[in-house]
């Protein structure tokens, strides 16, 4: 929920008008400390904000400054259109919808300041972030994923960690030299059962995009984790930017919570 703090101080002074005789005068009672007034919540004009989705580009979004680092594992479920700010308490520049590609919107928290959470966004440019209010009245749900997906692009190796311990590892295919897999910190945005093509039964779109192509077959150029019918691609740099994984790996990755952090490095 987008909030802006407006501090309102209200003071009321009441004075008595009946004087006492001098010999009965009493010292004035000490003045009570002012009671802090809770900041008022000001709703942003959500209708005027562009949506941060895999189909959009939000050039004014702050860039992730720790793109090669893991995070705490805290996730936010966006339960209704929610404003995204440039800084804690800063101006809103976009909104996150509650659904992405037919899946509930879960985004990873990469920084926390009080009741403000900095999250990764699914929109272009890659590495986009923004701040979301998580305090009282916010339509968000917090959870935690114990998993981290680490993709070493040069070594063509994908590993999965649970609470720091490796629980899976596979040789994978990555982007070709002319269409490299983008590097940086992203996340599992959705899980889609493939009904149009047969190269992968499930596709796991990530919150990042090809830097070479603006579209894949008419889509927005979203990079994904998926399998491939020819196992010869594993260990090779031959894709259009997606990470091709063995069937066993895909089955495991499909069980991870949406919003789970993925390091492409």
């Amino acid at each position: 929920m987008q909030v802006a703090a407006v501090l309102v101080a209200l003071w009321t002074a009441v004075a008595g008008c009946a004087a006492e005789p001098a010999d009965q005068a009493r010292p004035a009672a000490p003045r009570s400390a002012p009671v802090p007034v809770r900041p008022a919540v000001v709703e942003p004009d959500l209708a005027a904000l562009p949506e941060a989705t895999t189909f959009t580009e939000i050039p004014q979004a702050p860039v992730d400054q720790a793109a090669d680092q893991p995070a705490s594992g805290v996730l936010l479920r966006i339960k209704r259109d929610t404003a995204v700010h440039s800084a804690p308490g800063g101006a809103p520049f976009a909104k996150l919808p509650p659904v992405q590609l037919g899946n509930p919107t879960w985004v990873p928290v990469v920084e926390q300041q009080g009741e403000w959470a900095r999250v990764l966004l699914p929109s272009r440019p890659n590495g986009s972030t923004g701040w979301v209010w998580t305090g009282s009245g916010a339509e968000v749900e917090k959870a935690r994923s114990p998993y981290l997906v680490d993709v070493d692009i040069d070594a063509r190796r994908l590993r999965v960690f649970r609470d720091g311990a490796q629980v899976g590892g596979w040789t994978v295919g990555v982007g070709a030299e002319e269409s490299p897999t983008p590097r940086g910190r992203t996340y599992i945005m959705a899980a889609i059962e493939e009904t149009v093509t047969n190269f992968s039964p499930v596709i796991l779109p990530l919150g990042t995009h090809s830097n070479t192509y603006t579209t894949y077959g008419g889509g927005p150029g979203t990079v994904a984790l998926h399998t491939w019918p020819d196992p010869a691609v594993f260990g090779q740099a031959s894709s259009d930017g997606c990470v091709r994984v063995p069937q066993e790996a895909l089955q495991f990755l499909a069980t991870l919570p949406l919003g789970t952090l993925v390091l492409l490095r």
Side-chain angles (χ1 to χ4, degrees):
M1 176 181 297
Q2 177 58 44
V3 291
V6 179
L7 185 61
V8 181
L10 179 61
W11 298 91
T12 304
V14 180
C17 57
E20 296 187 21
D23 59 352
Q24 298 181 20
R26 294 174 295 182
R31 299 182 65 179
S32 300
V35 177
V37 179
R38 184 180 183 274
V41 175
V42 178
E43 293 283 352
D45 183 6
L46 291 173
L49 296 175
E51 282 193 333
T53 76
T54 193
F55 295 93
T56 61
E57 183 168 0
I58 314 292
Q60 63 270 39
V63 176
D64 187 9
Q65 297 298 318
D68 60 346
Q69 298 298 313
S72 65
V74 176
L75 312 176
L76 285 188
R77 163 77 167 101
I78 305 300
K79 302 174 77 173
R80 73 169 191 176
D81 282 353
T82 298
V84 182
H85 299 250
S86 58
F93 63 86
K95 63 187 173 189
L96 275 169
V99 175
Q100 300 274 355
L101 294 178
N103 287 243
T105 298
W106 284 93
V107 288
V109 174
V110 295
E111 186 178 349
Q112 189 86 34
Q113 289 190 23
E115 294 181 308
W116 289 91
R118 187 173 191 171
V119 301
L120 298 182
L121 301 178
S123 45
R124 290 179 186 265
N126 290 339
S128 293
T129 70
W131 292 86
V132 173
W133 169 256
T134 65
S136 177
E139 290 284 343
V140 298
E141 173 188 344
K142 280 189 177 182
R144 179 180 178 273
S145 172
Y147 295 99
L148 169 68
V149 180
D150 178 89
V151 181
D152 186 329
I153 295 172
D154 296 330
R156 299 161 195 174
R157 185 73 176 167
L158 180 150
R159 296 180 296 168
V160 180
F161 296 87
R162 180 186 174 98
D163 292 326
Q166 183 172 329
V167 292
W170 298 270
T171 299
V172 298
V174 298
E177 183 178 354
E178 64 273 14
S179 54
T181 299
R183 299 177 191 253
R185 190 160 56 170
T186 185
Y187 63 98
I188 299 175
M189 180 177 57
I192 301 174
E193 183 178 355
E194 182 55 69
T195 59
V196 178
T197 63
N198 59 6
F199 68 84
S200 186
V202 175
I203 296 175
L204 304 176
L206 305 179
T208 193
H209 300 80
S210 169
N211 287 319
T212 304
Y213 300 106
T214 58
T215 181
Y216 291 144
T222 306
V223 170
L225 306 174
H226 60 74
T227 191
W228 198 254
D230 182 2
V233 303
F234 305 132
Q236 303 300 315
S238 58
S239 81
D240 286 337
C242 290
V243 178
R244 295 167 170 172
V245 304
Q247 182 66 34
E248 176 190 349
L250 182 67
Q251 290 174 345
F252 184 76
L253 292 166
T255 68
L256 304 187
L258 296 182
T260 293
L261 198 75
V262 178
L263 284 179
L264 301 173
R265 59 182 183 83

